[in-house]
Amino acid sequence: MRFVIVGSGRVGLRTARVLTEEGHDLVIVENNPDKVERARKEGFEVVEGDGSDENTLIEAGIDSADAVAGLTGDLNVNFAACMVGKHHGCRTVMRIDEDYREDIYHKFADDVDEVIYPERLGAAGAKTALLGGDFDVIADLTANLQLTTMTIPDGSSLVGTHVEAVELPTEARIYAHGRSHERMTIPLPGTALEGGDRVALIASRDALPAVRERLQGSA
C-alpha cells in the first residue's frame, strides 16, 4: 500500500518506520527543514512544505495514496490534511491530543476515519500495571516490534471473552478495542469480545502468527 504521512516528529517517524518495515511505500510531508533533513537521512522520501496545503499533498502523491495520516502536533494541520485526503479518496487518520475538550474532539473526529491518541499506549500500560498485569515486556521488545489491528470473526472461540482475559504470547498485548464501525478506545474491564470487533495490538513480529491464530482461529 502507499501512504502519505504528514509530520515527521516522534509519532510520524515511528509510524513511517513501521510501515516501511512491513514493505509499504510512503511519502512524508514536513515543513521544518531540520526534520526534513533527519527524515531524508533515514532514507525516507520527503516533500518539504505545508501539510495542510492541497498542492503540497498532490506533490506528495495523494491522488494515488491509499491513506493519509495527519500526525503533526497541530490539530488544524492534521484535520486539513485529512479533509484533502478525503476529497482525493484516501482513508484518513488524524492525530489528536488527549487534552482537547470533548466538543473539540467531536467537531473534528466525526469527519475522519480514525483518530489516534499518542498518549494512549502509555495509558494502556499504566492501566494494565494497576490492574496487576505485566506490561514491562513491551520495554524489552526489539526492533521487530509491530503495531497492527485484527478483526475477531464470528466463529472465533474468543467471542464472549473479556478483552483483558484474552491470553496471548508474552511478546504481545492488546491496547485498544472497538466494535464494528466504532472508534477504538482503551477497553474497559468488563468489555467482552463480539464477532466483528477490532483490536489493536503491539507484538513482536515473530509472535504475530500465534496471535492471529489465537484471535481469529475458529472454535
Side-chain angles (χ1 to χ4, degrees):
M1 299 179 71
R2 184 169 177 81
F3 304 101
V4 173
I5 305 295
V6 178
S8 63
R10 176 177 56 85
V11 177
L13 274 183
R14 287 185 178 180
T15 303
R17 290 174 190 136
V18 171
L19 290 171
T20 300
E21 287 174 2
E22 294 186 353
H24 300 293
D25 294 324
L26 63 91
V27 177
I28 293 174
V29 177
E30 176 59 61
N31 66 352
N32 183 302
D34 292 335
K35 292 181 179 179
V36 168
E37 182 178 1
R38 181 177 63 179
R40 285 176 175 163
K41 282 184 177 179
E42 288 200 29
F44 293 112
E45 180 182 353
V46 184
V47 171
E48 186 171 359
D50 182 358
S52 64
D53 178 70
E54 184 171 14
N55 290 330
T56 301
L57 293 171
I58 289 175
E59 182 183 350
I62 201 167
D63 282 330
S64 60
D66 295 288
V68 58
L71 302 180
T72 76
D74 188 324
L75 176 60
N76 292 308
V77 171
N78 295 343
F79 183 70
C82 286
M83 291 303 94
V84 173
K86 187 175 182 179
H87 176 72
H88 286 267
C90 295
R91 175 174 173 77
T92 56
V93 176
M94 183 180 73
R95 170 186 173 178
I96 189 170
D97 294 322
E98 296 242 355
D99 56 357
Y100 284 104
R101 301 192 313 272
E102 185 175 357
D103 59 327
I104 298 296
Y105 164 84
H106 285 295
K107 175 183 177 181
F108 290 95
D110 290 345
D111 289 323
V112 301
D113 292 309
E114 291 288 350
V115 172
I116 64 164
Y117 303 83
E119 301 92 339
R120 283 202 169 177
L121 182 55
K127 182 208 69 169
T128 301
L130 286 168
L131 293 171
D134 178 11
F135 209 75
D136 291 340
V137 65
I138 298 303
D140 298 327
L141 293 181
T142 67
N144 288 327
L145 185 69
Q146 296 285 304
L147 302 177
T148 189
T149 61
M150 295 184 186
T151 300
I152 307 298
D154 291 334
S156 171
S157 60
L158 293 176
V159 170
T161 303
H162 287 173
V163 175
E164 292 188 344
V166 175
E167 295 182 0
L168 295 176
T170 304
E171 301 85 1
R173 289 289 185 275
I174 294 173
Y175 67 89
H177 164 270
R179 302 294 184 202
S180 178
H181 307 302
E182 291 183 1
R183 302 190 187 284
M184 287 191 179
T185 62
I186 296 174
L188 297 173
T191 301
L193 291 172
E194 298 178 1
D197 285 2
R198 293 174 302 142
V199 293
L201 305 110
I202 183 168
S204 67
R205 188 188 301 273
D206 292 341
L208 283 177
V211 171
R212 184 171 290 107
E213 174 64 26
R214 176 64 176 144
L215 293 177
Q216 299 181 325
S218 60

